[in-house]
């Protein structure tokens, strides 16, 4: 049995942040009833058509869920939602700011009616403050959180290629819900909490925030190199290939000089004898490393790095990742059902010996309506919740 078997979550969700949180809860066995707009559903369904006609975002975020389409502004559909909430353990929403209040679904009203309910609200900037009602998409929050100021080259900032603000908010919503359920086991009461994308990504900005506030300068944009550690990044070999490596401490630096570069005296060069000195003389350091690497193939450099136990990697594209030999060796791929047939999906990253995560169907829009309504009416022999 999975740890969240018996927990029912009603999710008035869309896009990435909330669906990412609820999918992880569903992976652990929770029942997630996804409430979508009639006609179009979660607008992430329409982001692209690359997965045999389905959206890659939707496929990623919505396995293990049930779908019912409700126009929650219509009294009859709002009544269905309230009946679902009366039987739910958790309510998750990431509607536009103020929407739940207008619908009478704010946390205070829900907890007054259902004291054991856990209520999670996800927004761009949180309640209150001058940004409370601002629209928030991943790119915009990356800008507001300062993340884009750190990413890119010296001359041009770049958006991080993953929706990191959404993912951060989803992760904190996920852990917040688990914490609230654990607390409910001790107190018998639910509760409400909120997660904002700005504050979630802001937590991930911790190192550059401290570096800037107390160091007086912002870490420079450094492409694929590390702004505060050297050598750390790509270095070119004689055959034109790039080898990525990272030296984390002085013991590794000495081993790198002696065993990889075969220049042990370089470790004691005053320009390079500490990490701060190496960062300050990054250009000269790169020149010395690539002068040596320019005599070696990438394969030989990788062999020396492995022998010296220096961390290194090859640059893979997305296809290279999906074909990664480590994932294959660890049997990390499964098949999930969907409206377009079986699809490959990665297992969740938390591995528990002897326990297989839930890897069930990705729903079509409104595909579970009849069964959910029958459960509410008591005609199916099942119950839709655990309250």
């Amino acid at each position: 049995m999975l740890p969240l078997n018996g927990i029912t979550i009603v999710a008035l969700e869309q896009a990435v942040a909330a669906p990412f949180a609820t999918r992880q809860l569903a992976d652990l066995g929770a029942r997630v009833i996804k409430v979508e707009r009639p006609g179009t559903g979660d607008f992430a369904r329409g982001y692209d058509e690359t997965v045999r006609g389905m959206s890659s975002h939707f496929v990623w975020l919505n396995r293990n869920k049930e779908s019912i389409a409700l126009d929650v502004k219509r009294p009859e559909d709002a009544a269905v939602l309230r009946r679902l909430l009366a039987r739910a353990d958790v309510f998750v929403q990431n509607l536009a700011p103020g929407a739940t209040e207008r619908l009478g679904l704010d946390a205070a009203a829900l907890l007054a009616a259902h004291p054991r309910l856990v209520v999670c609200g996800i927004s761009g900037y949180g309640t209150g403050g001058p940004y409370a009602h601002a629209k928030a998409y991943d790119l915009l929050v990356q800008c507001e959180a300062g993340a884009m100021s750190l990413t890119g080259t010296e001359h041009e900032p770049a958006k991080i290629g993953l929706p990191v603000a959404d993912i951060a908010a989803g992760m904190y919503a996920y852990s917040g819900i688990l914490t609230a359920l654990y607390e409910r086991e001790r107190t018998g009461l639910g509760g409400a909490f909120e997660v904002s994308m700005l504050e979630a990504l802001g937590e991930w900005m911790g190192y550059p925030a401290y570096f800037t506030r107390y160091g007086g300068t912002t870490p420079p944009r450094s492409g694929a190199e590390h702004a505060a550690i050297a050598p750390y990044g790509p270095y070119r070999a004689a055959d034109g290939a790039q080898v990525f490596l990272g030296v984390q401490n002085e013991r590794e630096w000495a081993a790198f000089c002696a065993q990889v570069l075969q220049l042990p005296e370089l470790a004691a060069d005053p320009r390079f004898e500490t990490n701060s000195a190496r960062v300050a003389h990054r250009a000269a350091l790169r020149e010395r490393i690539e002068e040596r690497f320019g005599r070696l193939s990438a394969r030989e450099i990788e062999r020396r790095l492995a022998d010296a136990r220096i961390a290194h990697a090859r640059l893979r594209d997305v296809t290279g990742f999906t074909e990664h030999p480590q994932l294959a060796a660890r049997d990390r791929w499964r098949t999930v059902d969907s409206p377009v047939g079986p699809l490959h999906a990665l297992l969740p990253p938390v591995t528990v010996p002897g326990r297989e995560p839930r890897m069930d169907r990705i729903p079509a829009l409104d595909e579970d309506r009849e069964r959910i309504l029958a459960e509410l009416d008591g005609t199916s022999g099942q119950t839709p919740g655990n309250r």
Side-chain angles (χ1 to χ4, degrees):
M1 179 180 292
L2 291 171
L4 293 187
N5 278 1
I7 295 295
T8 295
I9 298 167
V10 174
L12 199 55
E13 63 179 20
Q14 56 196 355
V16 176
F20 187 52
T22 58
R23 195 220 74 196
Q24 294 179 88
L25 296 164
D27 290 345
L28 294 175
R31 182 184 188 188
V32 176
I33 300 174
K34 183 181 181 75
V35 179
E36 303 189 67
R37 294 181 183 86
T40 58
D42 180 342
F43 56 69
R45 287 183 180 271
Y47 279 172
D48 59 68
E49 302 81 30
T50 57
V51 186
R52 300 178 187 167
M54 292 189 71
S55 159
S56 54
H57 283 78
F58 194 85
V59 166
W60 165 41
L61 298 166
N62 289 286
R63 67 172 177 251
N64 301 328
K65 299 183 184 180
E66 303 167 38
S67 172
I68 183 170
L70 298 174
D71 181 352
V72 294
K73 295 180 181 179
R74 297 175 66 237
E76 54 268 43
D77 281 5
V80 172
L81 177 59
R82 290 183 182 279
R83 292 170 70 193
L84 287 171
L85 290 171
R87 295 162 171 82
D89 298 284
V90 180
F91 175 51
V92 180
Q93 62 83 19
N94 66 333
L95 301 183
T100 53
E101 287 78 6
R102 292 191 294 271
L103 294 168
L105 299 172
D106 55 284
L110 289 173
L111 289 174
H114 312 295
R116 284 177 53 81
L117 188 66
V118 171
V119 181
C120 169
I122 303 173
S123 65
Y125 297 103
T127 56
Y131 282 69
H133 294 282
K135 286 190 174 182
Y137 302 128
D138 184 80
L139 168 65
L140 309 182
V141 177
Q142 286 193 35
C143 291
E144 293 288 349
M148 273 189 59
S149 73
L150 304 173
T151 307
T153 68
E154 178 184 356
H155 305 291
E156 189 73 27
K159 175 184 177 296
I160 299 167
L162 302 172
V164 289
D166 285 303
I167 292 171
M171 287 301 300
Y172 290 115
Y174 166 59
S175 61
I177 290 167
L178 293 176
T179 302
L181 288 171
Y182 178 73
E183 187 174 32
R184 190 180 75 172
E185 288 297 304
R186 298 164 62 187
T187 67
L189 295 174
F193 68 94
E194 66 172 335
V195 176
S196 87
M197 293 166 65
L198 177 68
E199 291 156 8
L201 188 55
E203 171 64 23
W204 292 10
M205 290 288 291
Y207 129 67
Y210 282 108
F211 187 99
T212 301
R213 174 161 289 198
Y214 295 101
T217 60
T218 299
R221 289 193 299 271
S222 53
E225 292 187 292
H226 197 291
I229 303 174
Y232 194 122
Y235 297 87
R236 194 166 298 281
D239 52 14
Q242 286 185 314
V243 177
F244 286 70
L245 62 93
V247 170
Q248 289 282 315
N249 53 57
E250 301 315 307
R251 177 187 56 78
E252 289 186 354
W253 168 240
F256 177 72
C257 292
Q259 296 177 243
V260 181
L261 300 182
Q262 296 181 355
L263 293 172
E265 68 278 7
L266 193 65
D269 187 315
R271 297 173 298 169
F272 309 135
E273 61 184 353
T274 67
N275 180 66
S276 295
R278 293 192 292 274
V279 171
H281 298 94
R282 188 190 301 273
L285 177 63
R286 171 170 291 280
E287 183 178 348
R288 292 303 306 274
I289 292 173
E290 292 196 330
E291 176 187 15
R292 206 66 170 176
F293 279 12
R295 308 173 190 179
L296 305 170
S297 68
R299 185 179 297 276
E300 172 62 18
I301 295 168
E302 289 177 342
R303 186 192 65 77
R304 292 188 184 188
L305 289 166
D307 289 345
R309 299 192 59 78
I310 303 297
H312 61 282
R314 69 176 59 177
L315 179 62
R316 297 176 187 268
D317 59 15
V318 178
T319 298
F321 164 70
T322 62
E323 298 173 350
H324 202 292
Q326 184 70 1
L327 298 177
R330 283 173 49 78
D331 191 27
R332 300 304 295 175
W333 292 98
R334 295 292 182 273
T335 299
V336 299
D337 192 18
S338 81
V340 296
L343 300 170
H344 288 133
L346 272 174
L347 285 171
V350 175
T351 301
V352 180
R355 177 176 284 171
E356 181 77 6
R358 182 180 172 200
M359 300 291 283
D360 288 345
R361 180 176 169 82
I362 301 158
L365 175 62
D366 206 28
E367 97 172 22
D368 302 287
R369 164 180 287 275
E370 291 186 10
R371 180 167 50 79
I372 291 170
L373 293 179
E375 290 172 11
L376 287 175
D377 293 336
T379 60
S380 71
Q382 298 180 355
T383 57
N386 309 280
R387 300 293 305 287

